[in-house]
Amino acid sequence: MQVKNPPGGIPVRYIKGVGPGKAPCFEKLGVKNVSDLFYYLPRRYEDRSRIVEVKDLEPGSAQAVVGRVLKTGVFTARTGTRIFEMTLGDGQRRVSAVWYNQPFMNKVFSVGQTVMLYGKVELQKRLQITHPAYEILDPGNAKDTSLLPHPSSLDRLKASLDVGRIVPVYPLTANLTQRYMRKVVRRAIRSSLAGAPEVLPTRIRARRKLVDFRFAIENIHFPYSFDNLEKAYKRLVFEEFFILQAVMALKRKKVREKGMRHEAREGLLADFEKLFSFELTGEQKKCIKEIERDMAGDKPMYRLLQGDVGSGKTVIAMYALLLAVANGRQAAMMVPTEILARQHYVTVSESFMPLGLNVRLLVSGIDTGDRERIRKELAEGEADIVIGTHSLIQEDIDYKNLALAVMDEQHKFGVTQRKVLRAKGGTPDTLVMTATPIPRSLALTVFGDMDFSLLKEKPAGRESVTTYRVGEDKRDAVYAFMRDEVSEGRQAFIVYPRVKKSASSDLKSAEEMYDHLRKNVFGDMRLAIVHGGLKTGEKNKVMDEFRAGKSDILVATTVIEVGVDIPNVTVMVVEHAERYGLAQLHQLRGRIGRGKHASYCILIGEPGTDAAHERLCAMAETDDGFKIAEKDLDIRGPGQFLGTRQSGLPEIRFGNIARDFAIMEEARDEAFRLVEEDPQLKDPRNAAIRKAIAERFGVVVRSSEKNVGAGPCACPLPGGEQR
């Protein structure tokens, strides 16, 4: 029977020993064809290459031992468990191997065989290995009294996939065993590897000292040595990152289609600085110059501004807004919450009031008449700047001349929502901001087609925040400290993980504790409460009164996580802090330390896991958001760090973004160099790269640059969204 060779290679069911019966088991692992099997990497390796004799066994570690079978038998334990036991010896010492509930093993072994075993050696009443991996090296002869391995055993050992070598251990599913998986992989390698295409051009492999594909696949599965394994791993990780970065480079070419020029008149920045009572930091000015340079070009700006909480990103965004309007065009800023939208609106409108700009607020909470009036102003070009939530991208909202789209707290948006706002203006300049620092390794993976601006320096006058992690036993001391701060004229937040008390949980709730604190703890103080269950008008009233100093302590949920800037608040207490992620804790802490007084973040929690303990320790050790982000990535991994809803994180099959960052940078350099030299990958030497990009990311590189992909990014993303 002749089998057609589809993309990805021969279906796995045609590998000898698989067939239609076992093929569904492989499909559960995501292995549909030979190519998938090549890239189905072991999760770990066991060094079974160092072989000892029975006399040299040392209890307490996993070892490979060879000897002759002296005795076999099946017996029943007191519990009723059937146990097979085999005794191995070398003339000086003996070791027992036992298998529980596997009496059929009595048919596998017989006296006189030469056998190799691998497993953890334990000293009980005797030396014992439980459920060891094994290889029968010589069938032997029960009448042969020699305890030395038969000479032919060495040849058998060399051919073994399970002992006497560095052995791969694969992730499995039901009805698949390690021995079986190794045999199938070896058969696939022997039958199909010779015909597998080489994706990386020779010139790149030579520059980066990478082994070829065949060597890599052979040694990633059945490494001759750990040095070979390391070379194979680097080669395969490099290839994966290289293809990903090639897609980023192609998207970057596409995004840089013709845009709108924004000229900064002489003195614009100086006039802008006069609008504020404070001086811009050096890093703020640097970021502004980067944005100014981008917006002056004939290609659309596509920039990610990363700034730690309290670093002054809003001021930078305001300059971008002003630059667009100064060139006779419109600008929009989209934020995730109404509280943040209203705060930005107040800041921007008051700052730009001397310039006579028409700044509008568009959120779901405004009445119908105001919304219709704003909609008309945007469509007719009368509104210069609009700040709002998802309302900005509703179907009936049109812009006459949208030239700049700013998205604040970008991680709160789905990728499609960001795309829709950009589409409202054709090819507007785009500034994406985040106060959740993204490690450079992850940024290059997800936002590799963007330019980066980093803002680490905090404005002058900002006090650092001291963080404490305490247990329930310190609650009274925490309340006493809050009382002292309030008596000095300061204010405080107390954040709870839920709004209402739940019968199924012992977590404290905002409503429950608000009543308790008001009646039993802070009866002589003014308390207020805000949470997501309140109507928009109620939330705004509570926040406005707290901002005006009409209440001393605000009991809240994470609704205050972003968009709250009240310099007089010096205490942030987070209840059940072990329940929050690092990024969220850092965001909450960022609500304080915004004034001239020393500020304190107190994390009350009882961490029940190592990860929760690590998070609280990290918060207490540093207030550097970039260090916290690296720790968060290390604890959670890239997928959970970004969240599937918004990340656009491509599937990384075997590389580790954080650990393999050095390889990522090498791959990125080569990918961007390649696309710069051959923007449409027309060179025949790059044909395999074109094919790999199409197969792995669905991006087809056509004959014209403007047809690279299907938009700013043609990568298939989680949930069907595209970035």
Side-chain angles (χ1 to χ4, degrees):
M1 177 180 176
Q2 185 174 3
V3 180
K4 290 185 178 180
N5 193 4
I10 298 171
V12 71
R13 67 180 180 275
Y14 292 114
I15 300 174
K16 183 180 178 182
V18 179
K22 289 287 190 182
C25 299
F26 283 89
E27 290 183 7
K28 287 181 181 178
L29 300 174
V31 177
K32 296 180 180 180
N33 52 52
V34 170
S35 179
D36 292 336
L37 197 60
F38 286 164
Y39 287 109
Y40 191 71
L41 304 193
R43 58 186 169 88
R44 62 185 175 87
Y45 300 85
E46 292 180 349
D47 187 2
R48 304 180 185 178
S49 60
R50 182 176 173 272
I51 303 166
V52 300
E53 295 180 19
V54 180
K55 65 181 178 65
D56 296 321
L57 285 175
E58 295 180 1
S61 63
Q63 295 160 75
V65 59
V66 64
R68 296 288 292 273
V69 178
L70 305 180
K71 184 171 65 173
T72 65
V74 177
F75 64 93
T76 303
R78 292 179 182 177
T79 59
T81 302
R82 298 274 284 166
I83 302 173
F84 169 73
E85 181 177 15
M86 176 187 71
T87 302
L88 204 69
D90 60 3
Q92 298 185 48
R93 203 179 188 192
R94 296 185 177 192
V95 61
S96 293
V98 297
W99 284 264
Y100 294 94
N101 292 314
Q102 296 185 29
F104 58 84
M105 295 296 288
N106 200 30
K107 298 179 181 179
V108 176
F109 297 102
S110 60
V111 174
Q113 291 174 332
T114 301
V115 175
M116 172 176 277
L117 303 177
Y118 176 84
K120 185 176 181 180
V121 181
E122 298 173 308
L123 181 60
Q124 298 180 358
K125 292 181 180 179
R126 60 198 168 179
L127 286 178
Q128 179 176 303
I129 305 176
T130 304
H131 286 269
Y134 66 89
E135 187 77 27
I136 299 172
L137 304 180
D138 185 80
N141 186 333
K143 296 179 181 180
D144 182 1
T145 59
S146 171
L147 293 177
L148 296 176
H150 193 276
S152 65
S153 300
L154 188 58
D155 294 332
R156 180 70 184 268
L157 182 59
K158 290 178 180 178
S160 173
L161 299 178
D162 303 297
V163 289
R165 62 180 307 136
I166 299 170
V167 176
V169 179
Y170 297 92
L172 298 178
T173 187
N175 300 317
L176 295 180
T177 66
Q178 292 293 343
R179 291 173 70 90
Y180 172 74
M181 177 64 86
R182 291 174 196 131
K183 287 179 181 178
V184 171
V185 173
R186 170 51 64 88
R187 286 169 185 159
I189 288 174
R190 287 183 171 175
S191 64
S192 303
L193 185 58
E198 173 62 75
V199 173
L200 295 179
T202 304
R203 62 191 186 281
I204 293 178
R205 284 188 283 118
R207 272 199 299 266
R208 298 297 174 174
K209 298 179 180 174
L210 300 170
V211 298
D212 63 44
F213 179 72
R214 295 175 192 175
F215 180 98
I217 293 298
E218 180 78 50
N219 281 273
I220 203 70
H221 289 285
F222 303 107
Y224 176 76
S225 65
F226 281 105
D227 182 57
N228 279 12
L229 175 59
E230 185 177 341
K231 291 176 180 176
Y233 179 80
K234 179 179 179 181
R235 156 57 208 257
L236 293 176
V237 170
F238 183 97
E239 179 183 315
E240 178 168 49
F241 288 163
F242 174 82
I243 297 301
L244 169 63
Q245 291 299 330
V247 172
M248 291 294 178
L250 291 167
K251 285 190 291 181
R252 191 183 182 92
K253 287 281 184 183
K254 167 63 181 175
V255 166
R256 298 309 192 255
E257 61 194 1
K258 191 168 178 59
M260 298 173 249
R261 288 179 177 272
H262 293 91
E263 297 293 341
R265 65 168 173 79
E266 187 175 348
L268 181 65
L269 178 56
D271 291 343
F272 174 75
E273 291 186 78
K274 292 176 184 176
L275 298 173
F276 306 99
S277 60
F278 53 83
E279 283 191 27
L280 271 61
T281 67
E283 284 195 354
Q284 282 177 316
K285 292 179 181 179
K286 176 180 71 70
C287 291
I288 282 175
K289 285 299 180 183
E290 290 171 346
I291 290 169
E292 190 178 84
R293 186 170 58 249
D294 284 355
M295 293 181 70
D298 59 0
K299 305 289 185 183
M301 174 176 71
Y302 199 39
R303 183 169 286 276
L304 174 67
L305 172 60
Q306 290 194 76
D308 206 346
V309 288
S311 58
K313 297 182 302 300
T314 304
V315 173
I316 296 171
M318 287 172 63
Y319 182 77
L321 297 172
L322 178 61
L323 185 52
V325 173
N327 280 266
R329 301 182 179 116
Q330 293 174 301
M333 176 186 279
M334 186 167 72
V335 300
T337 68
E338 193 164 320
I339 289 177
L340 182 55
R342 289 182 181 276
Q343 178 170 296
H344 279 335
Y345 171 70
V346 170
T347 301
V348 174
S349 59
E350 288 183 353
S351 298
F352 286 164
M353 191 178 295
L355 305 180
L357 301 184
N358 184 11
V359 182
R360 305 298 270 161
L361 174 69
L362 186 59
V363 293
S364 59
I366 64 174
D367 63 45
T368 306
D370 286 342
R371 184 186 186 282
E372 180 59 24
R373 191 158 44 252
I374 294 170
R375 190 189 69 78
K376 280 190 64 179
E377 289 181 4
L378 289 171
E380 295 172 4
E382 295 177 9
D384 299 309
I385 297 170
V386 63
I387 297 168
T389 56
H390 302 79
S391 299
L392 299 185
I393 59 174
Q394 290 180 350
E395 192 172 342
D396 66 333
I397 300 298
D398 295 311
Y399 301 81
K400 183 177 181 180
N401 193 9
L402 182 63
L404 173 67
V406 178
M407 279 150 278
D408 195 10
E409 299 297 338
Q410 60 82 31
H411 60 287
K412 297 286 186 178
F413 294 110
V415 288
T416 297
Q417 293 164 334
R418 301 200 297 266
K419 185 178 178 183
V420 169
L421 179 58
R422 293 198 303 269
K424 292 278 186 181
T427 56
D429 288 330
T430 302
L431 179 63
V432 176
M433 303 196 298
T434 178
T436 302
I438 303 171
R440 180 170 169 79
S441 56
L442 205 52
L444 289 181
T445 307
V446 181
F447 302 102
D449 52 336
M450 302 181 76
D451 293 305
F452 301 150
S453 287
L454 291 179
L455 191 59
K456 293 185 176 182
E457 182 183 1
K458 290 187 178 181
R462 288 285 175 93
E463 288 286 337
S464 61
V465 177
T466 304
T467 302
Y468 300 97
R469 55 185 182 90
V470 300
E472 187 65 31
D473 59 322
K474 300 294 184 183
R475 179 171 297 280
D476 290 343
V478 171
Y479 289 158
F481 179 74
M482 291 176 64
R483 180 177 290 279
D484 290 342
E485 283 294 299
V486 171
S487 67
E488 293 291 327
R490 317 284 179 257
Q491 292 168 286
F493 292 125
I494 309 182
V495 178
Y496 295 91
R498 60 171 66 239
V499 176
K500 297 179 180 294
K501 179 71 175 175
S502 170
S504 61
S505 172
D506 59 356
L507 294 181
K508 294 178 175 63
S509 68
E511 289 187 344
E512 167 201 20
M513 291 303 294
Y514 171 68
D515 288 336
H516 169 70
L517 294 172
R518 191 163 50 90
K519 294 174 183 177
N520 305 316
V521 181
F522 300 115
D524 57 333
M525 295 183 177
R526 300 167 299 172
L527 271 67
I529 183 172
V530 65
H531 54 72
L534 298 178
K535 292 181 179 179
T536 299
E538 293 178 272
K539 281 190 287 189
N540 293 335
K541 181 182 178 183
V542 171
M543 294 307 301
D544 288 344
E545 289 181 350
F546 187 66
R547 187 176 288 107
K550 294 181 180 179
S551 48
D552 303 310
I553 298 173
L554 184 64
V555 175
T557 59
T558 54
V559 70
I560 66 163
E561 179 185 345
V562 294
V564 175
D565 186 357
I566 304 174
N568 193 46
V569 181
T570 58
V571 181
M572 163 71 72
V573 175
V574 182
E575 295 271 12
H576 300 291
E578 77 281 358
R579 309 279 298 198
Y580 300 87
L582 265 176
Q584 197 168 38
L585 287 173
H586 186 59
Q587 282 284 351
L588 287 169
R589 179 169 61 184
R591 298 310 100 207
I592 61 174
R594 293 171 171 262
K596 59 184 179 180
H597 303 291
S599 296
Y600 308 90
C601 178
I602 303 171
L603 307 175
I604 303 178
E606 302 290 345
T609 65
D610 290 342
H613 181 74
E614 280 189 79
R615 289 196 298 271
L616 297 189
C617 287
M619 287 295 296
E621 288 168 3
T622 180
D623 64 352
D624 185 326
F626 289 87
K627 290 181 181 178
I628 286 175
E630 292 286 355
K631 185 66 176 178
D632 201 11
L633 177 62
D634 181 53
I635 294 174
R636 291 196 291 163
Q640 290 185 26
F641 181 94
L642 287 172
T644 55
R645 178 172 169 266
Q646 68 84 39
S647 70
L649 183 68
E651 179 189 7
I652 303 296
R653 291 182 292 182
F654 32 82
N656 181 294
I657 292 172
R659 185 186 63 225
D660 300 323
F661 181 50
I663 303 176
M664 167 76 81
E665 290 203 301
E666 287 187 39
R668 179 178 172 82
D669 289 345
E670 289 293 349
F672 274 70
R673 176 177 179 175
L674 178 84
V675 172
E676 190 63 35
E677 294 171 351
D678 185 10
Q680 296 163 31
L681 303 185
K682 289 181 177 180
D683 190 325
R685 296 177 299 173
N686 298 329
I689 297 173
R690 290 166 59 104
K691 183 178 179 182
I693 288 173
E695 288 182 352
R696 299 183 197 180
F697 292 97
V699 178
V700 179
V701 186
R702 307 188 192 282
S703 58
S704 171
E705 182 180 324
K706 68 180 181 180
N707 288 323
V708 174
C713 171
C715 289
L717 302 175
E721 293 185 325
Q722 294 186 335
R723 183 172 70 75

